Amino acid sequence: CTTCVHVRCVALLPAGPLSPSPYYRLHSMSRGCADALPCQRDEFDLPHDVIYLNCASRSPLPRAVAEVGAQAVRNKLQPWLLGDSDAHAAAVRARAAQLYGVPPECIALTPSTSFALTAAVAAV
């Protein structure tokens, strides 16, 4: 508990009859060291004197994620070395099917979410 900062957790809950706000009331819970997540500061590239709390919109990437991303960029330098894209797509489809508990033929892979939504709307 000496290396991590513990803050009070604040959640927005629907307003009740005694709530000062007509829309939301704040519900705070003290979190002690016993129920806090273990410190993961070493997973991030944060200087020792920085406490970064703006993780809602600009959260820092863990070092491991940054390395995987950098490797993906290096792979794109020579895409002809990536191998069989059909086999890769089949492996991704099989893993997604296992995750969602459906047969692989129920998983559609598309180049982007907007492409998939456009195709779905066009099919209606």
Side-chain angles (χ1 to χ4, degrees):
C1 291
T2 58
T3 59
C4 293
V5 174
H6 297 282
V7 296
R8 291 177 62 84
C9 299
V10 177
L12 289 175
L13 300 176
L18 301 177
S19 174
S21 165
Y23 302 107
Y24 294 101
R25 65 184 168 88
L26 291 178
H27 175 70
S28 67
M29 305 168 287
S30 292
R31 293 200 54 172
C33 295
D35 62 349
L37 290 172
C39 187
Q40 298 178 13
R41 184 179 189 92
D42 291 339
E43 300 290 325
F44 298 88
D45 188 17
L46 292 173
H48 183 70
D49 60 339
V50 171
I51 298 172
Y52 188 74
L53 300 175
N54 185 17
C55 292
S57 64
R58 294 185 181 202
S59 61
L61 292 175
R63 285 187 175 111
V65 172
E67 180 52 40
V68 169
Q71 183 60 49
V73 170
R74 287 191 295 271
N75 289 344
K76 289 288 286 181
L77 292 172
Q78 298 175 328
W80 55 90
L81 298 177
L82 291 177
D84 184 6
S85 60
D86 290 337
H88 180 71
V92 168
R93 187 175 284 112
R95 291 183 74 182
Q98 184 180 19
L99 176 67
Y100 293 111
V102 298
E105 55 272 8
C106 291
I107 302 295
L109 300 179
T110 64
S112 68
T113 302
S114 59
F115 181 91
L117 288 173
T118 301
V121 169
V124 175

